Amino acid sequence: MPVKVAVNGYGTIGKRVADAVAVQDDMEIVGVCKRNPTFEVQMALDRGLPFYTTDEEHRAAFAEKGLEVQGLLPQLLEQVDIVVDCTPGKVGATYIPTYEGHGVKAIFQGGEKAHTAPISFNSSANYKDAWGKDMVRVVSCNTTGLCRTLYPIFRDIGIEEVLAVLIRRAADPWDSKKGPINAIKPVLKLPTHHGPDLNTVLPDIPIQSMAVAVPTTIMHLHAIQVVLKRESSTEEVIDLWERSPRLRLVSGADGIVSTAQAMELAKDLDRSRADLFEIAVWRDGTHAEGNKLWYYQAVHQESDVVPENIDCIRSMMMLEEDPDKSIAKTDASLGIPPPRS
Ligand code: NAD
């Protein structure tokens, strides 16, 4: 029997997670819940996705627009084994009593405080920690990006310390509330929360982070400096990443000189919503010398956490014990190429 999944919060992350669940053979999407009757609701209803809303007041708002929902969130929760909460940051935690009351497992997203769930999750780094758990948080898009490239280095070479500078998109592409924007905004509280967030998954990597927001809506760029435990080479690091999942080595020499071309590549991949689930790492923007390593990577903030949510469901529902097998299964379903063997 496929695991029954609900998604609460049908926005940037929620709609992608719902679509990703729908293409798995060991889980099914029973319904999604959204508070406001925006254009996405009609589109999802047209595709036959059962829709629920949060309360009677919002149900009336849906009805006013001629949108028929199946019911309210509690009715959806009664039918499922697990809910993926994709409500806006810090809203998810307010649903804990509701999820517990219905006896459903819950996955939260990176906008929630780390203590919202006992486990913070990344597929490669700590898949087994989520095994059978009731509540888990999939870390943010930025932290997922850091985990993807740092974990293989930590595991195979060793890390003395990391300094990560995050150059962050100011808003998501759809979000006109925060724009127009014309400024570069440093995060003044230093070091930023990104380092501690990585430590919720990989506690043994000493990391400091800084961040600035810039006037772009697609992708974050990370400039990362690592002090390794031993001497290495650019070739060794690249080889390690080529053998690691959900990384896409790109190259300025091939014309990918900025996030603009990285997203153009994503469009050419012809995936749903032009998503780039992989972290783009610049082959020719990576340099190792002695025990120092520098590199750049770009994170498609709207989609990189989607495959992790699928693996997280598999671990919490005890569907697949081997992380590599779950990752391979998820990636095959989403068209993500396997790492080099
Ligand atoms: P979003 O604003 O795009 O979508 C949130 C959805 O939840 C909207 O459809 C909204 O109508 C709905 N909603 C609002 N209040 C609700 C409520 N009380 N109950 C049910 N639904 C409600 O947000 P998002 O960008 O998808 O972010 C969701 C979570 O994912 C956050 O924790 C965020 O930090 C995290 N996240 C976001 C990104 C990103 O770049 N967008 C990346 C990784 C993780």
Side-chain angles (χ1 to χ4, degrees):
M1 279 281 282
V3 160
K4 294 183 186 310
V5 184
V7 170
N8 185 23
Y10 191 72
T12 307
I13 303 299
K15 58 189 172 186
R16 287 172 167 83
V17 169
D19 285 355
V21 170
V23 295
Q24 309 305 314
D25 62 11
D26 51 356
M27 52 189 88
E28 65 175 304
I29 183 85
V30 174
V32 300
C33 173
K34 183 168 174 21
R35 209 166 59 148
N36 297 312
T38 55
F39 66 95
E40 286 116 329
V41 180
Q42 187 62 57
M43 295 184 79
L45 287 173
D46 289 347
R47 287 164 49 217
L49 189 59
F51 237 92
Y52 294 74
T53 190
T54 46
D55 51 71
E56 289 298 350
E57 191 188 326
H58 286 91
R59 194 211 288 250
F62 275 70
E64 257 175 47
K65 294 199 168 180
L67 299 168
E68 201 174 321
V69 294
Q70 307 275 320
L72 301 183
L73 180 64
Q75 288 160 282
L76 173 59
L77 295 178
E78 271 159 32
Q79 304 169 59
V80 300
D81 305 302
I82 185 162
V83 56
V84 185
D85 184 291
C86 300
T87 59
K90 305 193 181 66
V91 173
T94 66
Y95 276 104
I96 291 175
T98 309
Y99 301 151
E100 281 177 340
H102 283 83
V104 292
K105 294 180 186 254
I107 296 178
F108 298 95
Q109 305 303 314
E112 302 306 318
K113 297 268 185 217
H115 58 70
T116 302
I119 300 293
S120 289
F121 180 87
N122 170 264
S123 303
S124 295
N126 70 341
Y127 180 92
K128 289 186 178 170
D129 290 353
W131 188 252
K133 292 286 187 305
D134 289 335
M135 300 220 170
V136 176
R137 181 182 73 119
V138 169
V139 289
S140 73
C141 50
N142 277 313
T143 308
T144 297
L146 293 171
C147 286
R148 293 242 186 103
T149 44
L150 288 172
Y151 173 66
I153 298 170
F154 171 72
R155 184 194 58 207
D156 288 12
I157 300 176
I159 291 179
E160 206 72 65
E161 111 180 269
V162 177
L163 172 64
V165 180
L166 288 79
I167 298 139
R168 300 172 50 206
R169 60 91 179 97
D172 281 337
W174 64 269
D175 188 354
S176 58
K177 290 197 299 282
K178 292 182 185 155
I181 300 154
N182 182 17
I184 298 173
K185 188 179 175 192
V187 176
L188 299 177
K189 190 170 179 291
L190 292 173
T192 62
H193 72 276
H194 304 94
D197 203 45
L198 179 86
N199 290 147
T200 63
V201 179
L202 292 164
D204 297 328
I205 297 185
I207 178 169
Q208 306 294 332
S209 54
M210 300 173 78
V212 289
V214 294
T216 182
T217 59
I218 306 188
M219 300 197 108
H220 305 293
L221 187 114
H222 298 170
I224 300 173
Q225 182 183 346
V226 185
V227 181
L228 304 166
K229 285 243 179 198
R230 63 163 168 81
E231 294 201 353
S232 181
S233 64
T234 308
E235 293 70 30
E236 184 188 16
V237 172
I238 298 278
D239 175 68
L240 197 48
W241 285 335
E242 283 178 338
R243 290 185 285 107
S244 302
R246 299 178 186 160
L247 297 177
R248 186 170 280 262
L249 275 298
V250 298
S251 167
D254 293 339
I256 301 186
V257 293
S258 77
T259 52
Q261 294 84 27
M263 285 318 297
E264 192 63 17
L265 175 145
K267 287 185 208 159
D268 289 349
L269 288 171
D270 218 9
R271 292 180 183 157
S272 162
R273 299 188 180 91
D275 283 339
L276 190 65
F277 302 110
E278 305 97 314
I279 305 303
V281 193
W282 270 273
R283 193 185 287 278
D284 45 6
T286 297
H287 181 72
E289 203 174 294
N291 70 338
K292 296 255 175 62
L293 165 69
W294 300 264
Y295 65 98
Y296 295 108
Q297 64 180 25
V299 173
H300 182 219
Q301 81 278 359
E302 299 171 282
S303 69
D304 70 322
V305 299
V306 172
E308 319 302 297
N309 273 277
I310 300 301
D311 294 328
C312 192
I313 294 172
R314 252 188 221 112
S315 182
M316 291 170 73
M317 297 305 303
M318 299 186 286
L319 294 174
E320 171 56 66
E321 211 163 342
D322 182 342
D324 294 337
K325 285 190 182 158
S326 177
I327 289 170
K329 188 175 171 71
T330 304
D331 289 1
S333 74
L334 298 177
I336 304 171
R340 211 192 65 219
S341 51

